[in-house]
Amino acid sequence: MAKSNKDWAPSTLTAQAMGHIDPTTRAIIPQIHPATTYQRDSDNEYRSGWSYSRSDNPTYQPAEELLTRLEGGADSLIFASGMAAATCAFTGLKPGDHVVAPQIMYWALRNWLTGPAMDWGLDVTLVDMTDLDAVASAMQPPRTKLVWIETPANPLWRLTDIAAVAKIAHAAGARVAVDSTCATPVLSRPIEHGADLVMHSATKYLNGHSDVVAGSLTTARQDDHWQHLKNLRSQMGGVPGPFEAWLLQRGMRTLFLRVRQASQSAARIATHFSTDPRIEQVLYPGLPDHPDHAIAMRQMPDGCGGMLSIRLAGGQNAGTKAAIACAASVNLWKRATSLGGVESLIEHRASIEGPQSPVPGDLLRLSVGIEDTDDLIADLDAALEP
Ligand SMILES: Cc1ncc(COP(=O)(O)O)c(C=O)c1O
């Protein structure tokens, strides 16, 4: 007997958008539903389950169902952006609640947490998430309600041992949420390691074509807290437009091919430049001398992803000048923020994060796309000062 989609491999499910066929038209591609509102039944019920598009839209279903399967979760929600997804997870808490988050994480979310979120009443402690003793000391049971992890973490690419942090957090009665944007469900499934919630900036690898801003949350279980987050998405209105949701599910069909290619290419680029005297340090968890290499082998056995950073040689001043000059000289790599698209991007991270940034000035962040690896190496090689 033919296998049902229950038994398909994740890459098969993804390529086929779960294998769904439209029951009315037999279309093999999911429909787009631009309607903002739906007719009530004559007996006053909403039997279709749809009433108003700020609450939910059927166009969200393919991406949400696929994410739930890929992450091994119980349910997913897509949002208007990664920030809308992340801030929903935090505002699902109550003023006075305490959260623990990493010192090194996506900067805009860290700025929101230490600014508006604290003004709103959250108590936020930032810790070195790679230091398990520091994480344990930061817990304040029963006030600590959430521990936020980002792994691999922007832009230094340190990894967090999700299982170890989950053990600490759960013992203190806190949930664990993982920003898994840079790992993707192709390379890491945080719920398998004990996470309660997984967040993605779907703007990045999930969509993969630098043409959609979106985000997602996946829960390990259906419970009252998840229902609260669902209500919040509807109440705060952080929903994607139907066209964006449709583009997202379309982009996701090639997720496995894109991520595997980017990850293999990034590993080759990291190895190639690791002995280059113009570079002080290559930051990539797949390199054997990376401080979290052992965690990488356990947590990301199929590859460490398409993100790496390089620190230019020469010390703080000369290194910063060399980094800016290198970014100015590339041709194939595009000088732009963001990550996870099919085209490779290079970015002087300290310039976008501003003077408060803990990121060293000599650092360039590289988002490896799916171009030929030799072309990428040659372009970067030519852009590095002799
Ligand atoms: C790791 C990470 N998390 C969250 C976000 C925020 O996502 P968005 O830009 O889709 O709101 C980003 C964006 O760069 C990111 O890189």
Side-chain angles (χ1 to χ4, degrees):
M1 221 181 46
K3 280 180 166 183
S4 80
N5 89 355
K6 241 172 44 321
D7 304 312
W8 290 350
S11 55
T12 306
L13 276 174
T14 307
Q16 292 243 346
M18 310 277 287
H20 180 77
I21 301 288
D22 182 73
T24 313
T25 63
R26 311 300 290 155
I28 67 162
I29 298 296
Q31 309 284 312
I32 180 164
H33 296 267
T36 55
T37 192
Y38 301 80
Q39 179 160 267
R40 225 180 234 286
D41 300 325
S42 54
D43 61 359
N44 213 32
E45 296 294 318
Y46 267 122
R47 216 162 272 104
S48 74
W50 312 104
S51 58
Y52 186 55
S53 250
R54 178 166 41 72
S55 297
D56 210 350
N57 180 305
T59 320
Y60 302 167
Q61 260 176 348
E64 290 180 344
E65 287 178 11
L66 181 57
L67 266 170
T68 301
R69 281 292 291 274
L70 295 182
E71 292 291 1
D75 199 12
S76 298
L77 290 170
I78 59 170
F79 288 82
S81 66
M83 284 297 284
T87 54
C88 180
F90 286 106
T91 45
L93 304 174
K94 292 195 168 50
D97 285 349
H98 175 241
V99 305
V100 177
Q103 281 159 350
I104 302 290
M105 64 184 287
Y106 174 57
W107 68 294
L109 185 56
R110 186 182 59 230
N111 288 349
W112 179 81
L113 273 175
T114 53
M118 288 183 84
D119 295 345
W120 176 73
L122 270 191
D123 185 9
V124 181
T125 302
L126 300 182
V127 295
D128 175 356
M129 207 47 85
T130 66
D131 177 347
L132 295 176
D133 291 336
V135 177
S137 320
M139 305 303 295
Q140 297 178 24
R143 292 182 60 237
T144 309
K145 299 292 190 233
L146 186 67
V147 177
W148 188 265
I149 293 173
E150 181 180 321
T151 182
N154 248 304
L156 305 181
W157 312 118
R158 294 293 307 264
L159 299 193
T160 295
D161 184 336
I162 301 170
V165 170
K167 214 166 144 196
I168 295 169
H170 291 161
R175 288 190 179 80
V176 173
V178 178
D179 180 342
S180 197
T181 298
C182 295
T184 82
V186 177
L187 301 174
S188 171
R189 283 161 296 281
I191 289 172
E192 286 174 6
H193 300 284
D196 303 286
L197 212 53
V198 181
M199 176 255 153
H200 289 279
S201 166
T203 315
K204 318 297 182 197
Y205 289 101
L206 293 184
N207 175 63
H209 294 76
S210 308
D211 52 11
V212 169
V213 174
S216 70
L217 290 179
T218 298
T219 181
R221 72 197 78 79
Q222 295 269 13
D223 56 12
D224 290 349
H225 183 67
W226 180 247
Q227 190 52 49
H228 179 46
L229 297 185
K230 277 178 114 157
N231 294 344
L232 274 182
R233 182 184 71 168
S234 169
Q235 288 160 343
M236 301 204 295
V239 286
F243 185 57
E244 284 70 23
W246 186 86
L247 270 179
L248 172 59
Q249 66 76 30
R250 198 206 24 197
M252 282 177 75
R253 288 187 160 218
T254 54
L255 179 70
F256 277 74
L257 282 178
R258 288 185 285 101
V259 170
R260 284 174 178 158
Q261 169 64 24
S263 185
Q264 281 166 19
S265 200
R268 256 194 70 203
I269 293 168
T271 306
H272 179 91
F273 287 105
S274 61
T275 51
D276 192 309
R278 297 165 297 179
I279 292 176
E280 177 71 33
Q281 198 184 8
V282 176
L283 309 174
Y284 187 65
L287 292 175
D289 62 354
H290 185 280
D292 305 320
H293 188 65
I295 300 173
M297 294 297 95
R298 235 178 18 246
Q299 207 163 268
M300 305 180 77
D302 299 328
C304 292
M307 298 302 301
L308 68 144
S309 295
I310 53 176
R311 293 190 64 181
L312 281 285
Q316 184 60 11
N317 287 343
T320 301
K321 264 178 70 184
I324 293 171
C326 173
S329 307
V330 288
N331 183 33
L332 173 58
W333 296 79
K334 297 291 168 270
R335 246 180 333 279
T337 195
S338 199
L339 58 96
V342 290
E343 60 287 300
S344 295
L345 304 181
I346 188 164
E347 186 179 33
H348 183 246
R349 217 34 224 167
S351 292
I352 193 151
E353 296 195 12
Q356 306 304 325
S357 168
V359 176
D362 55 18
L363 181 142
L364 288 172
R365 187 181 83 173
L366 307 179
S367 169
V368 179
I370 62 167
E371 305 93 335
D372 184 89
T373 314
D374 290 333
D375 283 347
L376 291 170
I377 290 176
D379 194 55
L380 190 56
D381 186 53
L384 287 164
E385 298 219 314

